Amino acid sequence: MNIVCLDMEGVLVPEIWIAFAEASGIPELRRTTRDEPDYDKLMKWRIGILKEHGLGLKEIQNVISTIDPLPGAKEFLDALRARTQVIILSDTFDQFAMPLMKKLGYPTLFCNTLEVAESGEITGFRMRIEKSKLTTVKALQSIGFETIASGDSYNDLGMIRASKAGFLFKSTDKIKADNPDLPAYEEFPDLLAAIERAL
């Protein structure tokens, strides 16, 4: 029994923080898990910048409402879900992801949650579980699934390497160079074909 585990940002939808950095004119917020392997450190740093600029959840959600999935992402997901079970494993937050899930036809998403004050200020975040992607893949394997995984960032490498097949997708040159044994793809039809071969 196979199950495919996909990252969300950078794979199916544009990076939310990069879109927000451009909309808000705060270039520091362009930093993502492609640049910073330590997610806890990255999020605390982001929350500090938001506080400094007096920005909260509402401002980020306004930008998210303008984001569409990457071209071909919904068709890729539909084709994949017609073949096998798919779960999106993301380090994003449900307050960010739900409008994007609607545009993708509501696939199953496992993610985290933000702590938000009544004022709308983001005060913290709660991770679903430590090393959520790798831990989830191992849990799926423990109940009889064989996993196939794909992602683009440092925080995807654990689930990719722990799976029976794993692929980088739209990743950075550095991550690809550091992981030359991992097949890397740039286009949805190529990733779909690779996953279908692994099923």
Side-chain angles (χ1 to χ4, degrees), residues 29-192:
L29 288 174
R30 290 182 62 87
R31 192 166 176 77
T32 71
T33 50
R34 290 169 162 219
D35 313 297
E36 174 55 69
D38 186 333
Y39 191 74
D40 190 63
K41 180 178 166 187
L42 178 65
M43 270 310 299
K44 286 175 177 166
W45 180 77
R46 286 167 168 167
I47 289 170
I49 290 175
L50 293 174
K51 191 177 179 71
E52 194 182 303
H53 290 270
L55 297 168
L57 181 60
K58 183 173 178 288
E59 289 80 7
I60 299 174
Q61 286 177 329
N62 287 343
V63 171
I64 291 169
S65 70
T66 68
I67 297 174
D68 286 320
L70 293 171
K74 184 173 186 304
E75 295 77 6
F76 161 76
L77 207 48
D78 288 347
L80 194 53
R81 289 165 75 194
R83 288 287 316 273
T84 189
Q85 298 295 310
V86 179
I87 296 179
I88 297 172
L89 300 182
S90 176
D91 279 337
T92 193
F93 306 96
D94 46 15
Q95 295 97 327
F96 289 0
M98 290 325 290
L100 296 164
M101 292 302 99
K102 183 179 180 182
K103 291 178 181 179
L104 287 169
Y106 291 111
T108 300
L109 168 71
F110 291 179
C111 65
N112 306 303
T113 194
L114 290 167
E115 294 169 347
V116 184
E118 280 186 29
S119 64
E121 179 189 344
I122 297 170
T123 56
F125 57 98
R126 282 200 313 277
M127 301 300 278
R128 185 171 51 80
I129 196 167
E130 194 179 341
K131 293 185 177 171
S132 62
K133 298 181 185 190
L134 174 59
T135 305
T136 302
V137 157
K138 287 187 170 175
L140 289 166
Q141 291 166 352
S142 78
I143 55 169
F145 286 101
E146 289 194 277
T147 58
I148 298 167
S150 183
D152 68 324
S153 295
Y154 285 106
N155 63 340
D156 299 313
L157 293 172
M159 72 169 179
I160 289 171
R161 292 204 172 278
S163 294
K164 76 163 183 177
F167 312 102
L168 292 171
F169 187 67
K170 296 184 182 291
S171 192
T172 65
D173 289 341
K174 173 150 181 39
I175 291 173
K176 287 188 280 192
D178 288 348
N179 297 274
D181 58 312
L182 293 179
Y185 300 101
E186 299 297 321
E187 303 297 333
F188 286 115
D190 297 332
L191 179 60
L192 182 62

